[in-house]
Amino acid sequence: MMVLHLVLLGDSVFDNQAYVATGRAVIDHVRAGLPGGAQATLLAVDGDVTTDVARQMRHLPADATHLALSVGGNDALGALPALQAPSSSVLQALDVLAALQSTFRHNYRDALLTLAEAGLPCVVCTVYDAVPGLTPALRTALSVYNDVITREALRLGLPVLDLREWLTEPTDYSSQSPIEPSDAGGYKIARALLDWSHP
């Protein structure tokens, strides 16, 4: 019988230990909810972007059985200078968004293809958008990235864990850095991952 070994890849949505103070990180909540004999490995790295996923995959444990990917938030953060640049029209601003989306689509597609090479069940996460203080304009820009995530996952037949529907309360976000999951938010993410990996 296969023994579950869930591997978390991506960014600080999973690698959030630095932002929960005395609370539990996502990986701690996952491990606490695993059935006997199962294990979980954290390969996600705080600050990593989509193009870093291939490097993370090089450390994939030989006995891994399930993969979970949450990446894209730092890609969006890196686009802030372009988003804050002046524009002469709405159409010109949309051209900027289209170019950012095209770059992200290329990088995200490559990341998913790298995961697919492992031949293991995989779930991907959207980027949550109920971050305290996030403006409506930035939430709209973030939807451009989430559109890529959902479309590329659908193209490969991968299930999507929509974190926009899970992390909806201010308490789901860290008081140390509001763009990171809190202990409470991490618990919600872990529960969703556990429900997917061993329903």
Side-chain angles (χ1 to χ4, degrees):
M1 180 181 242
M2 179 186 69
V3 178
L4 174 67
H5 186 169
L6 174 61
V7 179
L8 309 187
L9 301 134
D11 57 27
S12 57
V13 171
F14 290 158
D15 184 25
N16 69 321
Q17 182 62 68
Y19 308 102
V20 292
T22 57
R24 285 182 170 182
V26 170
I27 189 64
D28 298 323
H29 285 299
V30 168
R31 287 171 176 158
L34 288 172
Q39 56 182 314
T41 294
L42 177 67
L43 294 183
V45 177
D46 183 7
D48 272 8
V49 295
T50 307
T51 53
D52 293 312
V53 172
R55 186 199 73 245
Q56 295 177 13
M57 282 292 288
R58 289 198 289 270
H59 302 283
L60 189 68
D63 62 346
T65 62
H66 292 70
L67 308 178
L69 176 68
S70 183
V71 73
N74 290 323
D75 299 76
L77 281 174
L80 278 176
L83 293 174
Q84 293 169 337
S87 178
S88 62
S89 69
V90 173
L91 279 176
Q92 186 182 50
L94 289 174
D95 279 338
V96 172
L97 278 176
L100 292 170
Q101 185 182 53
S102 178
T103 298
F104 181 65
R105 180 181 293 110
H106 172 79
N107 293 337
Y108 195 80
R109 181 174 293 173
D110 283 351
L112 290 191
L113 290 175
T114 301
L115 266 63
E117 289 174 1
L120 300 173
C122 177
V123 66
V124 301
C125 300
T126 59
V127 182
Y128 43 62
D129 62 2
V131 174
L134 190 69
T135 66
L138 288 177
R139 187 174 295 112
T140 300
L142 194 55
S143 69
V144 168
Y145 289 80
N146 279 321
D147 181 68
V148 168
I149 292 170
T150 53
R151 283 174 179 264
E152 290 303 314
L154 181 63
R155 194 173 67 86
L156 292 179
L158 300 177
V160 177
L161 172 57
D162 195 346
L163 296 185
R164 293 171 295 184
E165 298 299 318
W166 283 82
L167 275 70
T168 58
E169 303 296 329
T171 52
D172 294 330
Y173 299 91
S174 170
S175 59
Q176 296 177 254
S177 175
I179 64 172
E180 311 294 349
S182 65
D183 176 71
Y187 175 78
K188 289 182 177 181
I189 294 171
R191 281 308 334 155
L193 291 174
L194 292 165
D195 289 346
W196 166 74
S197 60
H198 67 289

